[in-house]
Amino acid sequence: MKSYISSINAQSGSLPSTLGYVLPLETFDVESNNLDGPLFQPEYAGTDGLKEIINFRASLNNFVGTIPAEIGQWTKIQNLWFADNLITGTIPTEIGSLAEMRSFLFYKNQISGTIPPEIGNLNKLIIFGGRPRGS
């Protein structure tokens, strides 16, 4: 399976930790549902996770957790959207190594700190939506 698309589907509950075993997943889209629980679980956001992911769309849910540094291993990611959730913590500097990223949407979360200067390394970035609290 290369794509899992279930947006605007009234889905509820948490994401399964086995998501990382659905390889090579390129598109994951669960926008506009009622999903909750941790968004970035080690099983798919970690070392052996979704390395082939291109589109990760999880906006407009109730996800919690932080953005792990391991997300820097998603080197093929082009669209990373998780706006309008309950994500906390800071944006890791490893985001700056995602050279293929074209859009990064994280507005309406509880992210704090400042935008890491490494974001400036993203030469293909066209859409950047969000502002950490305190920046």
Side-chain angles (χ1 to χ4, degrees):
M1 176 167 67
K2 290 195 178 221
S3 298
Y4 178 81
I5 300 172
S6 184
S7 56
I8 315 172
N9 210 12
Q11 240 181 319
S12 62
S14 299
L15 296 178
S17 61
T18 55
L19 179 63
Y21 301 118
V22 182
L23 300 172
L25 193 62
E26 294 177 357
T27 296
F28 178 75
D29 186 346
V30 293
E31 283 197 311
S32 300
N33 281 294
N34 195 28
L35 295 167
D36 56 24
L39 178 57
F40 300 108
Q41 297 181 36
E43 293 84 0
Y44 55 84
T47 309
D48 296 322
L50 301 173
K51 293 183 180 178
E52 302 297 316
I53 197 78
I54 295 171
N55 302 296
F56 188 88
R57 300 180 186 122
S59 296
L60 299 162
N61 282 286
N62 297 302
F63 288 119
V64 297
T66 59
I67 309 165
E70 291 82 6
I71 203 154
Q73 296 174 22
W74 289 7
T75 57
K76 295 182 180 181
I77 192 84
Q78 293 179 12
N79 302 295
L80 179 57
W81 302 354
F82 53 90
D84 208 346
N85 280 288
L86 303 168
I87 305 299
T88 59
T90 60
I91 299 172
T93 58
E94 289 80 1
I95 289 280
S97 67
L98 303 175
E100 297 302 315
M101 185 133 62
R102 286 158 176 74
S103 62
F104 179 37
L105 301 177
F106 64 95
Y107 57 87
K108 286 191 178 179
N109 277 288
Q110 303 299 315
I111 295 171
S112 59
T114 59
I115 296 170
E118 290 81 0
I119 292 282
N121 298 337
L122 304 178
N123 297 326
K124 295 181 181 179
L125 189 65
I126 299 168
I127 301 170
F128 181 82
R131 181 175 168 193
R133 294 173 174 232
S135 65

